[in-house]
Amino acid sequence: MEDLKKNLIGKKVRRGEDLEEIVKNSLKKSIEEILTKNKSIDIISEIKKSQKPYIIVFFGVNGVGKTTTIAKFAYMLKKNGITSIIAASDTFRAAAQEQLAIHAKKLEIPIVKGKYGADPASVAFDAIQAAKSRGIDTVLIDTAGRMHTDADLINELKRILRIAKPNLKILILDSLGGNDTLEQAKYFENNVGFDIVILTKVDADVKGGIVLSLAYELNKPVAYLGIGQSYEDLTPFDPNWFIQRLFS
Ligand SMILES: Nc1nc2c(ncn2[C@@H]2O[C@H](COP(=O)(O)OP(=O)(O)OP(=O)(O)O)[C@@H](O)[C@H]2O)c(=O)[nH]1
Ligand SMILES: [Mg+2]
């Protein structure tokens, strides 16, 4: 709104010019500036030029799509000629291990599992060791969903991060999460920090306004969008696509 005031008040409008169009275009420009301010890294080239293994931890609240996103991510890496190993560090939720093992099998990617209730940080550690000894490019660490009310799980996540020392921390957010989503992002930022966001379930016909709040309030880029439930359904975030959708 401040931008609009600054850019439009006092502006001369010629006869026949479409006022609505002028306001819309000014708003689009402001939104574009906000969205392009925080450049997301090119993860593929980052991995290719980094020392092996490149370690990524995925986290977020329950059910946002962490595990599914890891499978999509591993698929994307594979298509780019990058090998990965998955650490099933969600030893908390029933069947989490099996869910990830099914993906790993389908994708023909190695996985390190842990027993139900086992220490998730040591599962991550074992996966990193395996990657080192087998020359695998990336380690993708899945974690249990956690609410900010759950101090134990947050401390556990801190421990995983301390031991894994990841190159990249990815917060998974659900585009259907509504107003709570920004609060989640703030909470994770203040407690463990994160580098980029992957926003899931964008196929559910949402405008995804959270993208704008993240960029504006937290200076965090959305790097990828989840746009469905199959492996191909992970796409790099494109500000122009988002703006078009917002104004459609
Ligand atoms: N439509 C749609 N569904 C998705 C997307 N990403 C994930 N899902 C679905 O969301 C549900 C939860 O996904 P999971 O990957 O198990 O979520 P999670 O964050 O690992 O869940 P917890 O480990 O229990 O915290 C599953 O039914 C997924 O298929 C997406 O981009 N679009
Ligand atoms: Mg999961």
Side-chain angles (χ1 to χ4, degrees):
M1 285 181 67
E2 275 160 27
D3 271 8
L4 282 179
K5 278 190 209 159
K6 198 169 68 207
N7 298 332
L8 295 178
I9 289 176
K11 187 179 161 76
K12 293 226 162 50
V13 179
R14 267 176 277 130
R15 194 181 305 221
E17 269 192 294
D18 185 342
L19 272 179
E20 198 179 313
E21 221 26 55
I22 291 173
V23 176
K24 249 192 197 170
N25 285 338
S26 177
L27 187 57
K28 274 185 193 167
K29 210 173 130 256
S30 300
I31 291 176
E32 200 182 333
E33 269 166 25
I34 293 169
L35 290 182
T36 48
K37 189 177 52 166
N38 317 290
K39 285 266 177 301
S40 177
I41 53 161
D42 178 351
I43 298 175
I44 303 291
S45 59
E46 194 77 12
I47 292 172
K48 283 185 173 162
K49 69 177 184 227
S50 274
Q51 218 189 342
K52 281 186 200 180
Y54 190 91
I55 300 164
I56 309 178
V57 178
F58 297 74
F59 50 86
V61 307
N62 306 74
V64 288
K66 295 174 291 298
T67 304
T68 311
T69 301
I70 288 182
K72 293 174 182 174
F73 206 88
Y75 175 81
M76 177 186 75
L77 294 181
K78 198 174 178 182
K79 273 203 315 194
N80 282 279
I82 296 169
T83 54
S84 57
I85 185 167
I86 294 174
S89 289
D90 181 356
T91 57
F92 183 75
R93 180 172 64 71
Q97 298 282 319
E98 289 80 358
Q99 181 190 5
L100 205 46
I102 290 169
H103 286 306
K105 194 168 174 219
K106 277 194 199 155
L107 294 164
E108 296 174 323
I109 283 168
I111 180 171
V112 172
K113 291 195 278 181
K115 287 211 169 62
Y116 182 71
D119 174 17
S122 66
V123 177
F125 182 81
D126 289 348
I128 293 166
Q129 290 312 111
K132 281 180 182 164
S133 66
R134 292 157 70 177
I136 295 170
D137 301 327
T138 56
V139 182
L140 309 177
I141 303 173
D142 191 16
T143 61
R146 57 207 75 221
M147 291 294 181
H148 29 287
T149 44
D150 204 330
D152 282 351
L153 275 176
I154 284 293
N155 286 331
E156 183 194 277
L157 178 60
K158 285 183 184 165
R159 213 173 100 75
I160 296 172
L161 293 170
R162 222 168 30 239
I163 286 173
K165 297 183 193 66
N167 300 76
L168 194 67
K169 293 185 276 186
I170 303 186
L171 177 66
I172 310 291
L173 294 173
D174 176 341
S175 60
L176 303 172
N179 290 336
D180 188 45
T181 311
L182 186 63
E183 294 309 311
Q184 287 170 22
K186 282 183 186 163
Y187 181 81
F188 279 102
E189 175 63 2
N190 292 335
N191 280 276
V192 291
F194 62 91
D195 303 303
I196 59 166
V197 166
I198 295 181
L199 187 67
T200 62
K201 309 183 193 178
V202 181
D203 50 309
D205 199 29
V206 284
K207 297 277 189 194
I210 181 67
V211 173
L212 201 54
S213 307
L214 283 170
Y216 191 72
E217 293 212 27
L218 290 177
N219 291 315
K220 296 289 181 183
V222 171
Y224 292 93
L225 303 175
I227 51 166
Q229 302 195 59
S230 47
Y231 295 142
E232 300 85 40
D233 292 332
L234 185 70
T235 184
F237 174 74
D238 171 11
N240 292 321
W241 174 86
F242 173 79
I243 289 168
Q244 256 178 23
R245 189 179 168 103
L246 202 60
F247 282 87
S248 67

